[in-house]
Amino acid sequence: MKLSYEQALHKLAAYCSRGERCTADLRKKMTNWELLPADQNKIIDYLSKQGFVDEVRYARAFVHDKNKHNGWGIYKIAFELKNKSIPKSIIDEALTTIDPTDNKERLVALLQQKHRSVKAKNEYELRQKLTRFALGRGFTINEIEYALQVCNFSF
């Protein structure tokens, strides 16, 4: 589907109005619409100046949503933001909004919930499965060890 500059600008302004977006998301859409790179840059500049797109605001919202609602740890969040071409300085600043205490409590709750569905032959296998689960969610090994001690899963 090929769009003109004006059509793309209006569609992207409406798209950005519905939620936080990053420039990588916008570029992906514009590439699908077969917009020229020069037009893509003009649209992104315009949307940035008008306040529709803000990488810092996007990173903060992304960190908040993925940590609170999806139960992701800092490593997974940072990885996903990096994949969206967000600068490292912005990622690091946004990650500071995660409260370490809340993060540990969230991990404890996730592991307790996961424990109910995990089948294991012994305590060692149970801990391994829960550790792999938490690592996949992006939590650090120190956070995982703390949560496993707090939960004190007995077999």
Side-chain angles (χ1 to χ4, degrees):
M1 170 165 109
K2 192 168 185 168
L3 295 181
S4 70
Y5 172 85
E6 291 80 19
Q7 290 172 321
L9 180 61
H10 292 295
K11 278 185 173 274
L12 290 174
Y15 179 62
C16 292
S17 295
R18 291 191 298 269
E20 292 298 336
R21 311 292 180 204
C22 66
T23 56
D25 293 341
L26 301 181
R27 284 198 190 279
K28 187 175 182 181
K29 282 195 168 296
M30 289 187 284
T31 301
N32 290 339
W33 295 337
E34 301 175 15
L35 250 65
L36 298 173
D39 287 342
Q40 291 182 18
N41 291 336
K42 285 190 336 190
I43 288 173
I44 288 176
D45 286 343
Y46 176 81
L47 293 174
S48 294
K49 287 176 186 168
Q50 297 299 316
F52 286 99
V53 178
D54 183 350
E55 300 282 296
V56 174
R57 197 175 62 214
Y58 173 81
R60 286 184 182 167
F62 188 90
V63 167
H64 176 268
D65 290 349
K66 297 304 179 185
N67 185 254
K68 299 269 190 241
H69 304 298
N70 294 40
W72 289 5
I74 59 170
Y75 287 138
K76 187 167 184 173
I77 294 170
F79 179 78
E80 292 299 325
L81 285 171
K82 186 177 177 191
N83 281 345
K84 291 183 177 275
S85 303
I86 305 294
K88 183 175 177 2
S89 60
I90 293 175
I91 294 171
D92 292 342
E93 188 273 327
L95 289 174
T96 62
T97 62
I98 296 175
D99 181 21
T101 306
D102 288 346
N103 204 37
K104 287 179 181 178
E105 290 173 8
R106 189 167 296 105
L107 178 57
V108 168
L110 278 171
L111 290 180
Q112 287 171 338
Q113 181 180 0
K114 182 67 175 175
H115 176 254
R116 294 184 208 120
S117 65
V118 170
K119 306 281 189 266
K121 296 175 186 165
N122 54 44
E123 189 173 338
Y124 176 77
E125 187 177 327
L126 174 67
R127 291 178 67 84
Q128 292 300 309
K129 287 183 176 188
L130 292 174
T131 299
R132 278 194 303 275
F133 169 76
L135 285 171
R137 287 288 182 105
F139 290 94
T140 66
I141 197 69
N142 290 337
E143 291 169 332
I144 296 166
E145 287 175 3
Y146 168 82
L148 289 173
Q149 286 175 353
V150 168
C151 292
N152 195 20
F153 296 121
S154 58
F155 192 76

